[in-house]
């Protein structure tokens, strides 16, 4: 669990109701960009579908780290296998 001091939270220029979601997305994107998290774990942290997360990466012009395992998964998905 990450604890953010109240004065820091209060100084954020984010709607209170959206803070947690926005912070999770920002953290997930930052950790993915640095290679700390895989796309699967980052999108889980961000609470987004794979496609939503990929769209967000595209909007931010962040290159996707595409592994051989992901290629195999995408090929299996395209063939209708899970």
């Amino acid at each position: 669990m990450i604890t953010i001091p109240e004065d820091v939270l209060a100084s954020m220029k984010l709607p209170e109701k959206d803070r947690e979601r926005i912070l999770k997305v920002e953290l997930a994107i930052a950790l993915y960009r640095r290679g700390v998290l895989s796309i699967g774990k980052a999108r889980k942290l961000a609470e987004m579908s794979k496609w939503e997360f990929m769209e967000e990466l595209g909007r931010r012009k962040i290159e996707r780290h595409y592994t051989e395992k992901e290629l195999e998964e995408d090929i299996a998905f395209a063939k209708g296998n899970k």
Side-chain angles (χ1 to χ4, degrees):
M1 166 150 297
I2 298 172
T3 304
I4 301 173
E6 284 298 320
D7 63 319
V8 173
L9 283 173
S11 69
M12 288 183 182
K13 295 176 179 149
L14 299 170
E16 189 173 339
K17 66 180 180 67
D18 297 328
R19 258 188 221 150
E20 184 175 342
R21 181 186 55 80
I22 292 169
L23 290 174
K24 284 181 177 181
V25 170
E26 293 301 323
L27 179 58
I29 293 285
L31 294 176
Y32 176 78
R33 175 183 263 161
R34 292 183 56 200
V36 174
L37 286 179
S38 68
I39 197 165
K41 296 297 182 186
R43 72 160 192 87
K44 186 174 181 179
L45 173 60
E47 299 176 349
M48 300 172 101
S49 73
K50 182 177 182 179
W51 305 114
E52 289 171 326
F53 194 75
M54 288 173 48
E55 285 178 7
E56 187 63 31
L57 293 176
R59 277 193 287 277
R60 296 174 186 229
K61 302 194 183 333
I62 297 171
E63 194 170 311
R64 183 165 174 222
H65 312 165
Y66 201 68
T67 66
E68 194 171 314
K69 181 178 183 253
E70 289 175 316
L71 174 61
E72 291 170 7
E73 289 171 355
D74 287 346
I75 291 170
F77 180 78
K79 290 180 178 179
N81 304 322
K82 285 195 173 186

